[in-house]
Amino acid sequence: VAGSALVLAIVAAVAWWVARRDHAASAAANRVVVVPYQNQTGDSTLDPIGQMVAEWITEGLAQTSEVQVVPHLIVLQTLAALKPASAKAAGLAPIRDLAHETQAGLAVAGSYYRRGEGVEFHSEVVDVRTGRQLGSVEPVRVSARDPASAIDSVRLRVMGVLATRLGVISWELPPGVRPPTYDAYRAYAQGMERWIAGHYREAGALFESAFALDSTYLRAKLIAAVAYGNAGDNAKRDSMLAFVLPRQSLLS
């Protein structure tokens, strides 16, 4: 009897482990990581656009309860940990390593190029395990004078491919939620750099600047609260949160 009970216990444990492993594998297969787009224009002033596109796609996915998406800040922190200085200088994105670290099965990546008087955005959605591209994402081309105008179009096209792959029914952002202005996002991106370097108070000030430049950019105000909390300034943290909490329906 004892022997039979032991065998049953082992079988049950193995069955539990297999089920847990399969569930984890299934969850990872549908978890999406969005990599900052690579600037191939030769114009460094357009660098923040790559992050802006990635975060806006991430924001759209985060609004969809049917999809797991790796938060943008986690992507930046993981990339900073993965890349040696030489790779950073070359603008390389180790997508497979990033997906492994964040346990994502799907990756969104892209680049943008100068095309005459315009800027053209190319995107791809990849199954990380097989390296297979999941669908064709039509390029988006806009005026070089207003590259940020491409952001919503890129998000819609990428999410269209993901919606087909993941069977998502609804992935529209709530009314009134739109990308921030480019100037506001540049301040936000600078804040992210200070955050990753561990300078939370400086980061908080930059996030506040981003919100001052675009009063609809509520995420900047929320992240400022977290940054000040990390810096130990609970009074500033609480004042930020007092503003954000009544408006949290506008956040993912």
Side-chain angles (χ1 to χ4, degrees), residues 32-37 50-65 67-76 98 106-109 151 154-156 158-159 162 171 173 177 185 188 192 219 251-252:
V32 184
V33 61
V34 186
V35 185
Y37 280 41
Q51 278 195 43
M52 196 173 179
V53 170
E55 185 158 11
W56 193 237
I57 295 170
T58 301
E59 175 71 9
L61 291 169
Q63 294 284 348
T64 304
S65 60
V67 176
Q68 291 186 39
V69 60
V70 180
H72 185 66
L73 180 55
I74 298 298
V75 172
L76 296 182
L98 174 64
L106 302 173
V108 176
I151 287 168
V154 174
R155 180 188 70 84
L156 286 169
V158 167
M159 291 186 68
L162 284 167
W171 37 265
L173 290 170
V177 177
Y185 195 85
Y188 180 84
M192 284 293 188
R219 173 187 292 276
L251 294 165
S252 63

Side-chain angles (χ1 to χ4, degrees), residues 1-250:
V1 171
S4 297
L6 178 61
V7 169
L8 286 172
I10 292 172
V11 170
V14 170
W16 172 85
W17 179 82
V18 169
R20 188 167 179 264
R21 180 199 61 188
D22 291 346
H23 175 75
S26 175
N30 287 341
R31 184 177 297 124
V32 184
V33 61
V34 186
V35 185
Y37 280 41
Q38 298 298 302
N39 181 5
Q40 304 293 345
T41 65
D43 182 353
S44 62
T45 65
L46 297 178
D47 283 350
I49 287 287
Q51 278 195 43
M52 196 173 179
V53 170
E55 185 158 11
W56 193 237
I57 295 170
T58 301
E59 175 71 9
L61 291 169
Q63 294 284 348
T64 304
S65 60
E66 301 162 81
V67 176
Q68 291 186 39
V69 60
V70 180
H72 185 66
L73 180 55
I74 298 298
V75 172
L76 296 182
Q77 289 176 321
T78 306
L79 282 173
L82 285 172
K83 291 181 186 177
S86 59
K88 280 186 180 179
L92 302 175
I95 296 174
R96 191 174 294 276
D97 291 342
L98 174 64
H100 174 75
E101 290 294 324
T102 57
Q103 299 181 21
L106 302 173
V108 176
S111 303
Y112 46 109
Y113 307 82
R114 283 301 295 262
R115 294 285 186 264
E117 296 299 312
V119 176
E120 191 169 272
F121 292 78
H122 292 251
S123 310
E124 60 177 355
V125 182
V126 178
D127 184 322
V128 178
R129 296 168 302 171
T130 64
R132 185 172 61 88
Q133 195 166 335
L134 295 182
S136 175
V137 183
E138 186 180 350
V140 174
R141 188 172 181 178
V142 295
S143 167
R145 291 189 294 273
D146 186 19
S149 64
I151 287 168
D152 205 44
S153 295
V154 174
R155 180 188 70 84
L156 286 169
R157 293 182 186 187
V158 167
M159 291 186 68
V161 172
L162 284 167
T164 302
R165 165 66 171 78
L166 301 173
V168 176
I169 297 171
S170 175
W171 37 265
E172 288 299 319
L173 290 170
V177 177
R178 59 173 181 77
T181 65
Y182 187 46
D183 286 342
Y185 195 85
R186 280 196 297 188
Y188 180 84
Q190 290 168 2
M192 284 293 188
E193 291 178 4
R194 304 313 295 154
W195 175 298
I196 291 169
H199 302 299
Y200 297 113
R201 190 175 297 279
E202 294 175 27
L206 285 162
F207 294 143
E208 282 196 271
S209 297
F211 183 78
L213 289 164
D214 183 350
S215 61
T216 69
Y217 197 15
L218 194 59
R219 173 187 292 276
K221 197 82 163 177
L222 175 62
I223 302 298
V226 182
Y228 285 127
N230 286 353
D233 190 338
N234 293 337
K236 290 211 75 168
R237 177 200 64 192
D238 292 347
S239 70
M240 303 284 109
L241 290 177
F243 181 88
V244 171
L245 289 175
R247 301 166 175 82
Q248 61 183 301
S249 63
L250 297 175

